[in-house]
Amino acid sequence: KGDAAKASSRYEDTYLPYPDAKVAAELCHDGPVAYLILGSAWVTDNWIAQHVSPNITAVHGSLLGALFGRAILWACFDSDARAIVEHHLYNKIMSAYRGGCPSSSGDQNEQQQNNSFNPIHKLFLMIYA
């Protein structure tokens, strides 16, 4: 796979997950995180890409739209992080969320309708050497 004596041969491989993860861990303020849709939530990546981050989706596609949209949706439901979401964006997202939330009975659906249920889980990641 090339000349092993060449110093740059190590960096010519297009798949180097560890350095990428290490850099991401250093760049993230509180460390790297993943935003996951809870299994009990009704939202989907498609819904998030369409209603939470449509402009990101239009430019970068639905995969990145959903990825960034999950973080935005989590922030809308988190009492501390809500302050960083622009007011008009928050209102637009929450209106779409309330409009799409199933209206069947049950404690969990009632929590989802009353905004006391965050459909996104923020998972802190650990990078091991």
Side-chain angles (χ1 to χ4, degrees):
K1 198 176 182 180
D3 185 5
K6 202 163 77 171
S8 66
S9 64
R10 172 178 171 197
Y11 300 102
E12 290 174 356
D13 188 0
T14 58
Y15 182 71
L16 294 171
Y18 179 74
D20 291 343
K22 186 105 170 127
V23 168
E26 292 298 321
L27 292 174
C28 297
H29 176 64
D30 291 328
V33 296
Y35 294 93
L36 308 172
I37 298 173
L38 292 176
S40 57
W42 62 268
V43 297
T44 64
D45 277 339
N46 287 334
W47 184 89
I48 291 170
Q50 182 180 3
H51 296 284
V52 177
S53 52
N55 293 335
I56 296 171
T57 301
V59 174
H60 300 288
S62 60
L63 187 64
L64 283 179
L67 176 78
F68 291 117
R70 288 192 301 267
I72 297 167
L73 186 58
W74 173 84
C76 287
F77 282 91
D78 184 78
S79 58
D80 294 329
R82 188 176 302 145
I84 64 172
V85 180
E86 291 184 14
H87 189 69
H88 76 279
L89 180 61
Y90 171 82
N91 288 337
K92 180 181 157 205
I93 291 169
M94 296 310 290
S95 176
Y97 182 82
R98 286 193 282 292
C101 190
S103 59
S104 60
S105 62
D107 287 343
Q108 199 156 17
N109 284 335
E110 189 174 320
Q111 287 177 339
Q112 290 185 44
Q113 290 174 344
N114 294 332
N115 303 339
S116 61
F117 172 81
N118 193 335
I120 306 296
H121 174 67
K122 182 179 183 179
L123 177 67
F124 289 91
L125 305 175
M126 298 297 296
I127 307 299
Y128 294 102

